[in-house]
Amino acid sequence: MHKHHSALGLATTLRPVQPVTLIRPHAASRAARFFVEKFPGRSMYAVKANPSPELLQILWDSGITHYDVASIAEVRLVARTLPEATLCFMHPVKAEEAIRQAYFEHGVRTFSLDSMEELDKIVGATNGAADLTLCVRIRVSSDLSKLSLASKFGVMPGETKELLIAARQVADALGICFHVGSQAMSPDAYAQAMERVRAAIVEAGVTVDVVDVGGGFPSTYPGMEPPPLELYFETIHRAFESLPVSYSSELWCEPGRALCAEYSSLIVRVEKRRGDELYINDGAYGALFDAAHIGWRFPVLLLREPDSNARDMPFSFYGPTCDDLDHMTGPFMLPADVQAGDYIEIGMLGAYGSAMRTAFNGFGSDETVVMEDEPMASLYMPAERAIPSNVVKL
Ligand SMILES: *Cc1c(COP(=O)(O)O)cnc(C)c1O
């Protein structure tokens, strides 16, 4: 595939009519190597954040050997793309048929659960298998995260003891897992959750072989600049070391966002301007679901030559569909003279961007190009490595 050196060059020479996804394999590889080298345990990739087979291959080539899958389609996808990978089925509510097929056809041995019903289902679907790693998902707070995952899953403290004891009886290895919510803005989220793990272990008096701190590791967006990931790793390591678990127990994590946010961005075209509202050709039903539905702010950059010297002002966006809901509040800071026909790069869309895309109303595009430049922001590039010209201040 032809590689491009800059988003600006691409927009000004090709003038694409459809939105174009820009992928940066080197950025995903850098994130994966960072986790492999620095996380004090095993990092498995949460596939739902971005299931692209190209990305899965890049992560594998960079040392990620374990994959957190949540559906039988994700099991099949990873098994097909990376036949040597280890799959962990970490959705706490699964179809019995999915468990059976994952176990017998794809060699999946690790499953999560948060109820007695699910434990019975797993035991039944695997014909009482003796080689299971069962991870009990406990409920923890999402208060320090931008996106809550606290309501839907996780066994409540009052029921944890009984479930841990029951799972211990049928598991070859017993784990405890949790998810602090996505985009955790402080390492304290993990410190607090680890205290819940400690309480659960003490109360149930079981031997725990795996502690899985889940996902939630942040990326960087306008107004959401987290502390360095090393601080998260140190906090988790310290908390893990002080848990009442044996020396041979393992520490796992399941990053989604942090491994792929920097992997891709999007070039869109402005089709119309109405005051401070820009009508662009991707939106809520495309790669910008989070911008529309949960008010997520992504960094933006005007791609125009010569560069505008107008001062920045806040804009909101409308996507291309005929639906009022297809609206993104932002604010997105762009030069005051943006007009129809201009191109904009929207950054940090590798996680939960293209994964959510639909073809609703006939919009959306699969066009993808490989870039050699740097992402618009990064948690993995040392600051002294001269900021490339396309990096914007968040
Ligand atoms: C979504 C999810 C993840 C990934 O979360 P991020 O916030 O993207 O890191 C990890 N584990 C489970 C079980 C999830 O549902």
Side-chain angles (χ1 to χ4, degrees):
M1 201 188 282
H2 181 65
K3 292 190 178 143
H4 292 266
H5 302 295
S6 84
L8 175 65
L10 197 154
T12 52
T13 57
L14 299 184
R15 306 203 64 78
V17 175
Q18 298 284 341
V20 180
T21 300
L22 313 186
I23 59 172
R24 296 181 173 84
H26 60 286
S29 173
R30 185 164 53 206
R33 281 183 275 112
F34 186 96
F35 269 83
V36 169
E37 284 162 22
K38 301 200 171 178
F39 182 77
R42 168 178 295 147
S43 303
M44 53 176 152
Y45 174 55
V47 171
K48 79 166 184 285
N50 186 330
S52 124
E54 295 78 20
L55 174 63
L56 295 176
Q57 188 66 51
I58 292 162
L59 297 177
W60 172 265
D61 292 342
S62 308
I64 301 285
T65 54
H66 288 57
Y67 293 79
D68 161 6
V69 286
S71 59
I72 193 64
E74 285 185 356
V75 169
R76 291 191 198 115
L77 167 72
V78 182
R80 184 167 71 233
T81 312
L82 307 171
E84 311 273 300
T86 302
L87 306 185
C88 300
F89 209 148
M90 302 308 280
H91 193 308
V93 184
K94 296 168 285 297
E96 185 157 356
E97 294 80 356
I99 299 168
R100 183 176 293 278
Q101 205 179 82
Y103 182 87
F104 287 103
E105 292 177 30
H106 300 287
V108 178
R109 294 294 176 266
T110 302
F111 298 88
S112 82
L113 63 139
D114 65 359
S115 66
M116 285 291 187
E117 296 96 300
E118 189 73 8
L119 180 60
D120 291 343
K121 211 193 281 174
I122 295 169
V123 170
T126 60
N127 298 346
D131 58 355
L132 298 174
T133 295
L134 297 180
C135 293
V136 171
R137 169 114 166 227
I138 62 168
R139 186 171 303 208
V140 300
S141 162
S142 275
D143 288 352
L144 295 172
S145 301
K146 290 292 177 183
L147 203 61
S148 174
L149 288 167
S151 319
K152 191 168 179 179
F153 300 130
V155 58
M156 297 294 271
E159 297 155 15
T160 305
K161 176 181 176 181
E162 190 192 3
L163 186 56
L164 280 171
I165 291 172
R168 177 73 274 177
Q169 284 164 2
V170 293
D172 176 38
L174 177 66
I176 297 184
C177 62
F178 57 80
H179 198 302
V180 298
S182 203
Q183 185 76 3
M185 293 304 290
S186 165
D188 292 344
Y190 295 90
Q192 289 169 15
M194 289 294 244
E195 282 311 306
R196 302 295 300 275
V197 172
R198 174 197 307 284
I201 296 173
V202 169
E203 195 197 359
V206 290
T207 305
V208 168
D209 309 294
V210 173
V211 174
D212 177 354
V213 301
F217 297 93
S219 185
T220 182
Y221 305 90
M224 290 190 271
E225 288 129 90
L229 286 173
E230 282 97 336
L231 292 186
Y232 290 73
F233 295 177
E234 279 164 26
T235 299
I236 290 167
H237 186 56
R238 213 174 313 121
F240 177 66
E241 290 289 304
S242 77
L243 286 179
V245 293
S246 76
Y247 273 116
S248 60
S249 65
E250 296 181 16
L251 175 65
W252 298 358
C253 70
E254 308 165 356
R257 178 186 304 282
L259 286 183
C260 59
E262 297 178 21
Y263 175 60
S264 75
S265 64
L266 186 73
I267 291 183
V268 297
R269 187 164 74 176
V270 178
E271 304 294 4
K272 170 187 166 169
R273 174 172 177 173
R274 185 176 77 179
D276 60 0
E277 298 165 322
L278 302 179
Y279 292 63
I280 61 175
N281 60 354
D282 200 75
Y285 301 93
L288 297 169
F289 182 96
D290 282 350
H293 295 287
I294 54 173
W296 210 267
R297 288 178 62 207
F298 295 95
V300 291
L301 190 65
L302 178 65
L303 304 174
R304 187 200 287 167
E305 214 161 44
D307 204 6
S308 165
N309 44 30
R311 202 182 295 196
D312 279 356
M313 63 168 269
F315 287 93
S316 64
F317 295 159
Y318 272 112
T321 67
C322 303
D323 195 334
D324 266 7
L325 266 178
D326 197 356
H327 178 255
M328 295 144 274
T329 310
F332 302 100
M333 299 302 293
L334 288 161
D337 64 354
V338 179
Q339 56 191 349
D342 274 330
Y343 288 91
I344 296 169
E345 182 180 8
I346 306 177
M348 314 303 283
L349 278 173
Y352 308 111
S354 46
M356 322 273 274
R357 209 161 51 190
T358 74
F360 177 55
N361 221 176
F363 295 100
S365 145
D366 291 331
E367 197 179 340
T368 298
V369 299
V370 179
M371 304 298 293
E372 289 176 326
D373 62 353
E374 293 300 346
M376 287 167 71
S378 179
L379 281 187
Y380 303 103
M381 273 179 356
E384 68 271 19
R385 274 222 354 235
I387 308 277
S389 63
N390 63 323
V391 171
V392 293
K393 197 166 163 349
L394 295 181

